[in-house]
């Protein structure tokens, strides 16, 4: 830490991907950065669990929009490829239905079209071509004024649409994703497949706007595997942030944020009070709104920016020897009836029949996996259900029974201890209620409701999946750019007298 320099002190609460990316940018810009993280290591949701085959990813598995990370590393004078080994997956995902239908979608859209024609016929292939083009137009239109803009506005978005009026048709503004897909695909399996992309941002296809069909494009533009697992990306950014001078402290929970008449003045971590000029909060913004960091900062974000909540999940992470269908790196085993999954989820219940995502982590690198492989299985769940054996034990049993019906078994059979429940996520990410993607993306204007980097409290900023532009690894990293730019801009406009008054080392209460 560079005490005694004229740089101001920034405390970052949380070493999730957003906190780490912001730490790197800010430390590179010469700020005096201290990251305080309650967990024992970096990454937040991008974490691992120990297994017989080594650390297994227990959070995100699909790396999309790698350009966001190329940009992050370039911004600090580095090359992403010098720090992590990324391999593009030729197969985006392998999809299984219980009637034996199997469909691969490819990084090459032409190959996906041919595969859809082979499995579902030429009409479906034409419909896919139209859907792919439509979502590409939406993605390209909204990338700059929405995702990459620090403060998107209705006017800016409307202007983008008015420049290409056909986008109004593409957006289908008053339709849900499910309703739009009903019109786009005659084949129910393709409606089910593309409707599932709503869950990638924690929503349900019948509740999110048709506009979110553009989530497909994030994946269509390439999926990368990180050698050694996704967590390696967090480690690489952490290492660079340290190399730029950031101090990163683990097992350090921030319990309160102190405000003075001029805004934020200090953070409390246990018995320690750390004076600071600014705080960048990487926890769930709902923790602030609910007063978990003290009553002085509850007004930092409005309730409408953190409620209603997005989905949670039951997540298994384990090593085993698989038997059954030939797996790709990313596999989806569909439930028999989407309504039987999404109906209960909408009512806050754990569904009996659910689509299961199976990541075979060791198959992403083009190298044949060993006999014992690492797996992550994700089953969507509502946020904050009861954490009871009545909820969780049947869920564990149903997951593996369901995969067994597809012929997929694991030896040894993973036990319930390999599972993280929604309540487990709620405990690990305070204030989140176990929701993994922040505020729910339901409703046409949900994208504008998420809190921005600057909060209502001077000196307090937000970064991460709970803030604009939203959840997902690249989005959290984009939010870090927004936050770092806001903090650096505000530093320039802060009066020297305030900065002089605020600076100070560590004092112990
Ligand atoms: C099972 C699962 C699968 C996912 N799959 C994908 C995927 O395939 N692709 C994708 O792009 N995204 C995926 N996501 C979403 C993605 O992981 C997240 O959106 C992203 O990692 C969130 O990053 P973040 O910056 O918000 O920080 P988080 O990961 O939320 O981390 C926040 C950090 O802040 C710390 N913290 C909170 N409060 C305090 C406090 N008071 N004091 C100190 N520290 C504190 C926490 O301990 C945590 O380490 C998945 C998420 C999960 C859980």
């Amino acid at each position: 830490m560079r005490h005694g320099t004229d740089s101001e002190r920034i405390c970052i609460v949380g070493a999730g991907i957003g906190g780490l990316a912001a730490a790197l940018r800010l430390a590179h810009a010469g700020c005096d950065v201290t990251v305080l993280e309650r967990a024992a290591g970096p990454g937040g949701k991008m974490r691992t669990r120990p297994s017989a085959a080594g650390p297994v990813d227990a959070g995100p598995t699909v790396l999309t929009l790698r350009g966001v990370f190329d940009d992050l590393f370039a911004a600090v004078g580095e090359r992403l490829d010098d720090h992590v080994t990324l391999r593009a997956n030729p197969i985006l995902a392998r999809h299984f239905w219980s009637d034996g239908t199997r469909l691969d979608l490819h990084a090459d859209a032409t190959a996906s079209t041919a595969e859809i024609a082979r499995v579902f016929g030429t009409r479906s292939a034409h419909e896919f071509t139209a859907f792919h083009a439509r979502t590409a137009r939406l993605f390209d239109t909204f990338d700059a004024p929405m995702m990459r803009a620090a403060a998107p506005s209705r006017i800016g978005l409307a202007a983008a649409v008015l420049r290409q009026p056909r986008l109004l048709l593409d957006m289908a503004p008053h339709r849900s994703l499910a309703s739009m897909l009903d019109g786009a695909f005659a084949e129910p399996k393709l409606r089910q497949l593309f409707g599932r992309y709503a869950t990638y941002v924690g929503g349900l296809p019948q509740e999110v706007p048709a506009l979110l069909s553009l989530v497909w494009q994030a994946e269509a533009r390439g999926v990368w595997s990180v050698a050694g697992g996704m967590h390696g990306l967090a480690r690489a950014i952490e290492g660079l942030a340290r190399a730029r001078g950031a101090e990163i402290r683990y097992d350090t929970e921030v319990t309160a944020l102190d405000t003075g008449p001029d805004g934020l003045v200090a953070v409390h971590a246990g018995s320690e009070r750390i004076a600071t000029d600014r705080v960048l909060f990487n926890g769930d913004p709902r923790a602030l709104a609910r007063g978990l960091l003290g009553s002085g900062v509850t007004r930092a974000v409005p309730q409408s920016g953190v409620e209603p909540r997005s989905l949670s999940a039951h997540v298994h992470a384990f090593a085993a020897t698989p038997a059954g269908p030939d797996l790709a790196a990313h596999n989806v085993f569909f439930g028999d009836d989407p309504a039987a999954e999404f109906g209960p989820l909408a009512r806050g219940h754990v569904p009996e029949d659910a689509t299961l995502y199976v990541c075979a982590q060791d198959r992403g690198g083009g190298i044949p996996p060993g006999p014992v492989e690492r797996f992550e299985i994700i089953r969507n769940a509502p946020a904050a259900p009861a954490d009871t054996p009545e909820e969780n034990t049947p869920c564990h049993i149903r997951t593996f029974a369901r995969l067994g019906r597809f012929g997929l078994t694991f030896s040894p059979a993973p036990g319930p201890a390999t599972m993280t429940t929604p309540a487990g996520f709620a405990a690990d990410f305070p204030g989140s209620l176990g929701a993994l993607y922040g505020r729910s993306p339901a409703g046409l204007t949900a994208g504008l409701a998420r809190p921005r980097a600057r909060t209502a409290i001077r000196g307090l900023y937000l970064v991460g999946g709970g803030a604009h532009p939203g959840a997902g690894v690249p989005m959290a990293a984009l939010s870090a750019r927004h936050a770092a730019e806001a903090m650096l801009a505000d530093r320039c406009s802060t009066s020297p007298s305030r900065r002089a008054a605020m600076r100070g080392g560590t004092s112990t209460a």
Side-chain angles (χ1 to χ4, degrees):
M1 203 182 336
R2 283 159 295 175
H3 297 301
T5 71
D6 65 353
S7 63
E8 64 170 10
R9 182 176 213 179
I10 292 173
C11 280
I12 300 182
V13 183
I17 200 72
L20 291 171
L24 173 55
R25 284 181 180 273
L26 290 165
H28 182 77
C31 301
D32 179 354
V33 174
T34 304
V35 182
L36 305 165
E37 166 58 58
R38 68 196 290 276
K45 297 183 181 82
M46 192 185 264
R47 58 201 183 151
T48 59
R49 291 276 172 264
S51 84
V56 52
D57 277 331
T61 56
V62 181
L63 182 65
T64 58
L65 304 179
R66 72 162 277 175
V68 170
F69 289 94
D70 285 319
D71 291 349
L72 168 66
F73 280 65
V76 298
E78 303 281 342
R79 283 181 66 247
L80 177 61
D81 289 323
D82 291 339
H83 296 273
V84 285
T85 304
L86 297 184
R87 296 195 189 89
N89 291 347
I91 297 175
L92 300 177
R94 180 161 290 165
H95 304 85
F96 299 86
W97 284 268
S98 58
D99 64 1
T101 306
R102 193 182 115 169
L103 177 83
D104 283 356
L105 289 180
H106 298 263
D108 172 5
T110 315
S112 293
T113 310
E115 173 80 342
I116 289 173
R118 183 185 70 75
V119 176
F120 296 120
T122 48
R123 175 177 177 180
S124 293
H126 289 312
E127 288 171 341
F128 170 71
T129 303
F131 175 77
H132 186 67
R134 171 186 194 158
T135 54
R137 287 191 295 272
L138 290 172
F139 189 95
D140 291 337
T141 302
F142 288 103
D143 188 29
M146 184 69 197
M147 289 178 275
R148 289 176 201 266
S153 68
R154 278 169 207 262
I155 293 173
L157 296 175
V161 173
L162 288 176
R163 278 194 289 277
Q164 304 175 64
R166 76 166 296 175
L167 278 169
L168 269 179
L169 288 175
D170 292 339
M171 282 175 66
H174 298 296
R175 295 174 74 181
S176 68
L177 175 61
S179 149
M180 184 271 246
L181 290 171
D182 283 347
F185 290 103
E187 170 54 55
K189 288 187 173 73
L190 291 176
R191 291 184 215 145
Q192 183 179 21
L193 190 160
F194 290 108
R196 204 182 74 86
Y197 281 85
T199 66
Y200 277 33
V201 287
L204 299 173
Q206 72 272 28
E207 292 182 350
V208 305
L211 175 61
L212 283 196
S213 56
L214 57 71
V215 175
W216 153 248
Q217 280 297 320
E219 196 167 290
R221 291 169 190 218
V223 165
W224 280 263
S225 288
V226 181
M230 283 284 272
H231 182 69
L233 183 58
R235 288 252 173 231
I237 298 171
E238 185 223 37
L240 275 180
R242 279 191 200 279
R244 297 291 188 282
E247 184 193 8
I248 305 186
R249 291 166 56 181
Y250 294 112
D251 298 311
T252 305
E253 176 155 17
V254 172
T255 47
L257 302 175
D258 273 358
T259 50
D262 242 356
L264 235 270
V265 291
V267 306
H268 290 261
S271 59
E272 197 179 0
R273 181 178 187 276
I274 303 169
T276 185
D277 297 292
R278 294 173 200 277
V279 170
L280 178 56
F281 187 71
N282 184 217
D284 196 305
R286 187 173 173 279
L288 298 172
R290 301 295 289 192
L292 302 190
L293 280 297
S295 57
V297 289
T298 51
R299 66 181 179 86
V301 288
Q303 287 291 333
S304 59
V306 295
E307 311 270 6
R309 302 303 289 164
S310 56
L311 290 176
S312 187
H314 286 90
V315 178
H316 285 86
F318 58 93
T321 301
D326 183 24
L327 298 174
H330 305 288
N331 308 275
V332 182
F333 292 85
F334 283 104
D336 286 335
D337 175 13
E341 175 173 11
F342 297 132
L345 282 174
R347 295 189 295 277
H349 300 309
V350 175
E352 293 203 6
D353 181 27
T355 292
L356 300 170
Y357 162 76
V358 178
C359 174
Q361 180 180 328
D362 298 311
R363 297 187 180 216
I367 305 162
V372 180
E373 296 181 53
R374 292 172 289 181
F375 293 96
E376 180 175 342
I377 300 177
I378 302 180
R379 181 187 174 111
N380 291 314
D387 188 29
T388 60
E390 293 73 39
E391 286 278 15
N392 294 325
T393 308
C395 188
H396 171 76
I397 292 167
R398 275 188 215 121
T399 293
F400 291 99
R402 174 95 196 133
L403 291 174
R405 289 208 290 283
F406 286 91
L408 179 60
T409 57
F410 298 96
S411 175
T418 63
M419 179 170 69
T420 306
T421 64
F425 283 114
D428 289 346
F429 301 97
S432 70
L433 282 180
L436 301 177
Y437 314 87
R439 186 197 192 279
S440 161
L444 186 60
T445 54
L448 292 170
R450 277 191 207 96
R452 311 281 162 82
R454 287 187 183 88
T455 71
I457 294 187
R458 190 172 173 189
L460 176 58
Y461 300 79
L462 300 179
V463 68
H468 171 74
V473 172
M475 296 300 175
L478 275 178
S479 86
R481 197 185 82 193
H482 297 325
E485 285 174 358
M487 294 176 91
L488 293 172
D490 292 354
R491 175 178 67 171
C492 299
S493 62
T494 305
S495 77
S497 59
R498 178 178 180 272
R499 286 174 54 198
M502 286 296 124
R503 196 176 304 117
T506 302
S507 57
T508 304

